[in-house]
Amino acid sequence: MNFKRALAVLAFVGFVSVTEAAAAAPRAVDAIPGRYVVVYKSSVSQPDRATEQRQREQGFRASLRYDKAVKGFAAKLSSGQVQRLREDPQVAAVVADRRVHAVGFAVASGEVVPTGIKRIGAVAAGQARGASSVDIAVIDTGVDLSHPDLNVGEGVNCVNPGAAPTDGNGHGTHVAGTIAARNQGSGVVGVAPASVIHPVKVLDDSGSGTSSQVLCGIDWVANNAVRLNIKVANMSLGGGGSPVATCDTTTDPEHKSICAATRAGVTFTVAAGNDGWDFDYAKTPDTPAAYPEVLTVAAVSDGDGAGGATGAAPSCMSGESDDKYASYSNYAATTQGAAHLIAAPGSCIRSTWMRAGYALSSGTSMASPHVAGIAALCLGEAGVSPAPCAGMTPAQVIAKLRAHAENAARATLAFGFFGDPLRPVTGRMYGFMTPVAVAASTDPVSTPTPTPTPTPTPTPAPTQSYSAAPAGASVLAGTLRSGAVASLAAADGVLLRINSTTSGTRVTDWYGRFTGVPSTLSDLAVTYRGGNSRSCGQTVSAYRYSTSSWVTLDSRSVGTTTTITAPAGASPAGFVSTTGEVRVRVRCSTSRSFTANADQLRISYKA
């Protein structure tokens, strides 16, 4: 029996290294509280007289007056005065006064820039992005309402109706920080710093909830989207659902509610889930990840915030490698699922936490808010005009972000990751990873009409060199004495030590497993550095899946230390399994007992 689709469970993989932070003074938001600019309709012929009249009647005093470029005034107003002016038939608009910045905002001294924020380019060359001009709903465990690093707006509690949507778990606060933590000189910085977050609490303090609570949250977003300017909603949660139908034919209340909210102009970003299976499994799909109207986000593991797969593995998780699909991430197995799929960093992401703290956490829950922040900036950003996604429907926003992700990966292969469509894993689709800087002219990806003559010569895709450490290891002969596979990433003297067998010919025999390797690779080579407590005859080999056999790459007598770099030879793709795995084996034998000391094992290749 398949129990894999449990109802309304969080789509994340734990956390480590929680720290409490001293409360820092929050940075002022772009909007200046209580100050407004009032613009009259063009039919008002004497704006100065009109302003004098309204000052006497309503009791405010204009600080600035305008009568050329626009007709109107600036003043400090109460909420009642704002409402009366907005109802005034001669007033065209009442808008919040705001601070103006140059495009590009320096990262404040003392800020921590999480690796995921760097990886998508939300901070580059010391510059962070501006606040979004649209609001974002976080449908989750609530949010720490007084966290100094967050700009929290109105919300709702669907777990305990009438209570404040306070986060007693930490998960929702973490999601909110990745989207919009302030750039204020302490803590962390988010994708769209200081944007307004609306906490929608649908999961309790243990991280659990029900579909009726989730439905309550989506309904609140749909009902308040226009009033609160909510244009993006993130759902880092999920559970098992019924087969997916269309908006017109579905009987799934949650699906119906998301259809209604998207019609109200809300773009949903949703975690793909952390079970390592296909979220679009037809009989029992993961929802809301499988709904075609949402942008589903798979997770990428990244250790250094940069492309090229040259960094160390993510710091807080074992079994992950730099710049490859996260082993826990769900994926699409159908073209329908892949049509609304994108990827973002999800492993060892540092963000805000409850009680004004900060924490590292991992999962597709951490990947999804990166994309929520990107979508919010695409719809509107302080100092950027026009916004690339301004005026777009949610379906158009999703198409825009996915097309831009593909363009970025094709233009710069190093921006991608092992498992994206340019370096695929058979049977699994993770999508492209989108950068934050969405260009107005980019989208959609189109195929140019071919010119009859002359026939253009196709330009080969650029190749990039990559290096990877093993994600795991298995001992075939001998026993593990000490160390871990993570120590094989670098030649640093930190050893994986294996004792030989103790009878007959003494042998150590083990292999490392490398995951996320594309089948389109070329020039595969193995580097091994290690030694033994006594000399032994050593072979280094790789498993060729095309012939189901181990192929010897190097054979020699090895003493206390040696470094070997061995090319795999012709047809390197034969060493890659259908699931993107490469296996490298190290075997040593002699007549007396010994200990093998492995310092480094890596593969390198081009793709």
Side-chain angles (χ1 to χ4, degrees), residues 32-36 38 58-60 75-88 94-96 154 227:
I32 302 174
R35 299 194 63 86
Y36 297 86
V38 178
Q58 300 188 34
F60 63 81
K76 186 175 182 179
L77 303 171
S78 69
S79 58
Q81 290 166 338
V82 169
Q83 185 62 32
R84 287 192 292 274
L85 285 166
R86 284 177 172 164
E87 294 171 350
D88 190 323
V94 182
V95 297
E154 182 179 336
R227 181 176 69 88

Side-chain angles (χ1 to χ4, degrees), residues 42-376:
S42 59
S43 58
V44 176
S45 59
Q46 296 180 304
D48 191 62
R49 179 175 294 180
T51 300
E52 291 288 347
Q53 178 185 345
R54 284 157 180 78
Q55 284 186 146
R56 290 193 301 270
E57 293 174 348
Q58 300 188 34
F60 63 81
R61 184 168 185 80
S63 58
L64 294 169
R65 303 186 187 193
Y66 316 106
D67 60 7
K68 276 201 171 185
V70 294
K71 301 174 183 180
F73 61 91
K76 186 175 182 179
L77 303 171
S78 69
S79 58
Q81 290 166 338
V82 169
Q83 185 62 32
R84 287 192 292 274
L85 285 166
R86 284 177 172 164
E87 294 171 350
D88 190 323
Q90 290 189 303
V91 171
V94 182
V95 297
D97 200 357
R98 62 182 180 85
R99 294 176 177 85
V100 179
H101 309 273
V103 177
F105 300 81
V107 177
S109 176
E111 285 286 355
V112 172
V113 182
T115 55
I117 300 297
K118 289 189 286 187
R119 188 67 177 85
I120 65 171
V123 168
Q127 301 292 307
R129 302 302 292 246
S132 174
S133 59
V134 306
D135 292 10
I136 305 101
V138 173
I139 304 174
D140 211 290
T141 61
V143 172
D144 181 347
L145 304 180
S146 59
H147 201 296
D149 225 351
L150 297 175
N151 183 12
V152 183
E154 182 179 336
V156 69
N157 190 328
C158 290
V159 176
N160 185 13
T166 302
D167 184 8
N169 176 277
H171 186 265
T173 303
H174 195 283
V175 166
T178 295
I179 297 171
R182 300 177 189 269
N183 179 22
Q184 63 179 4
S186 63
V188 297
V189 63
V191 177
S195 299
V196 178
I197 295 293
H198 293 278
V200 182
K201 186 177 178 71
V202 300
L203 302 173
D204 63 22
D205 293 348
S206 70
S208 299
T210 67
S211 59
S212 60
Q213 292 166 349
V214 173
L215 183 63
C216 163
I218 300 169
D219 186 64
W220 184 88
V221 170
N223 284 328
N224 291 279
V226 175
R227 181 176 69 88
L228 297 176
N229 195 33
I230 298 172
K231 296 290 186 182
V232 178
N234 186 82
M235 297 179 69
S236 287
L237 52 85
S242 56
V244 176
T246 67
C247 282
D248 292 334
T249 62
T250 184
T251 58
D252 178 353
E254 184 179 340
H255 192 186
K256 279 183 174 291
S257 68
I258 283 184
C259 291
T262 56
R263 285 194 295 268
V266 180
T267 298
F268 282 80
T269 54
V270 170
N274 294 343
D275 303 291
W277 62 51
D278 47 332
F279 67 82
D280 52 353
Y281 178 65
K283 293 182 179 179
T284 318
D286 287 294
T287 59
Y291 297 151
E293 294 74 27
V294 306
L295 184 53
T296 303
V297 186
V300 177
S301 287
D302 174 83
D304 59 358
T310 58
S315 59
C316 72
M317 298 188 75
S318 61
E320 300 299 313
S321 298
D322 186 43
D323 292 324
K324 78 173 186 67
Y325 69 90
S327 62
Y328 52 80
S329 179
N330 288 359
Y331 52 86
T334 67
T335 55
Q336 292 86 352
H340 60 99
L341 180 64
I342 206 163
S347 297
C348 302
I349 302 300
R350 183 171 175 79
S351 187
T352 48
W353 201 254
M354 59 183 177
R355 294 190 290 274
Y358 297 87
L360 287 172
S361 195
S362 299
T364 56
S365 276
M366 284 63 250
S368 185
H370 286 87
V371 180
I374 293 172

Side-chain angles (χ1 to χ4, degrees), residues 577-600:
S577 75
T578 57
T579 59
E581 183 172 284
V582 170
R583 295 185 178 187
V584 177
R585 181 177 179 178
V586 181
R587 186 181 190 276
C588 216
S589 63
T590 188
S591 59
R592 298 172 62 189
S593 298
F594 67 98
T595 299
N597 303 309
D599 190 10
Q600 182 184 44

Side-chain angles (χ1 to χ4, degrees), residues 455-472:
T455 301
T457 302
T459 302
T463 60
Q464 176 74 36
S465 296
Y466 296 94
S467 177

